[in-house]
Amino acid sequence: KNEVEQSPQNLTAQEGEFITINCSYSVGISALHWLQQHPGGGIVSLFMLSSGKKKHGRLIATINIQEKHSSLHITASHPRDSAVYICAVIGDKLIFGTGTRLQVFP
Amino acid sequence: DGGITQSPKYLFRKEGQNVTLSCEQNLNHDAMYWYRQDPGQGLRLIYYSQIVNDFQKGDIAEGYSVSREKKESFPLTVTSAQKNPTAFYLCATSRGGRETQYFGPGTRLLVL
């Protein structure tokens, strides 16, 4: 079993829909990253959080340390949000999930 | 223009050849990392360096080598001992070991 699990693996949505991507982990962590990887391969860090909730534009990330779970929400999704979203946890080392591929259609 | 540059974007290697992937940063970050990404798998750590002239093996170091002679540069050599080198390679940097990591654009390596 992977130490970091993401769901769903693939997600399609119509423009404007509310999106939720989930990340569960089984190790002790000090913080959690949400990353975005575009089709060209480049990776951008969206959030690093260790408790509660963070918001940036249409993106919201939450984490529940007791339940070892984090969610990434996208409000009013847009085709330009199409990417792979990766969860990574910082414990003794950085452990990456396998990613959620999101496609948003107009 | 600040950031992390990786070159080349695409690299073709013949079997039995060593190739070196470049990673340069002007963010003045102490820590640098090399990751490998394969389809359907999370990023896996190859090597990392927290300071100049020092580096540590990651989870999949076999068949790879690195050097850290300058703070700005952390080249990765894929040797002929790496039996399955075709992958996407990402370099990352951070201020320190548990800080946010910033990623380069990646190099896609293909073995002919």
Side-chain angles (χ1 to χ4, degrees), chain A residues 16-81:
Chain A
E17 284 185 13
F18 181 82
I19 304 290
T20 295
I21 299 170
N22 296 298
C23 175
S24 296
Y25 53 91
S26 57
V27 296
I29 71 168
S30 58
L32 181 146
H33 268 295
W34 279 104
L35 306 164
Q36 180 190 56
Q37 186 172 32
H38 279 282
I43 292 179
V44 174
S45 179
L46 298 174
F47 296 103
M48 186 164 78
L49 65 165
S50 53
S51 66
K53 176 170 141 177
K54 285 191 176 180
K55 185 176 190 293
H56 186 251
R58 294 180 295 106
L59 301 177
I60 303 165
T62 63
I63 187 168
N64 185 320
I65 295 291
Q66 287 74 29
E67 295 187 4
K68 296 190 173 180
H69 181 268
S70 176
S71 292
L72 177 69
H73 306 286
I74 306 175
T75 61
S77 59
H78 190 277
R80 65 174 174 266
D81 297 325

Side-chain angles (χ1 to χ4, degrees), chain B residues 27-80:
Chain B
L27 301 171
N28 200 33
H29 285 174
D30 285 317
M32 297 185 75
Y33 311 82
W34 274 106
Y35 293 97
R36 171 182 170 138
Q37 187 178 37
D38 294 280
Q41 295 194 42
L43 275 70
R44 292 182 290 167
L45 182 64
I46 304 172
Y47 268 98
Y48 65 100
S49 167
Q50 302 214 353
I51 198 165
V52 175
N53 291 323
D54 186 50
F55 50 82
Q56 309 294 331
K57 291 183 180 180
D59 299 317
I60 54 164
E62 187 176 346
Y64 300 97
S65 66
V66 292
S67 63
R68 187 87 187 275
E69 296 175 3
K70 298 187 298 182
K71 189 175 188 177
E72 301 80 20
S73 179
F74 191 41
L76 173 74
T77 297
V78 185
T79 74
S80 57

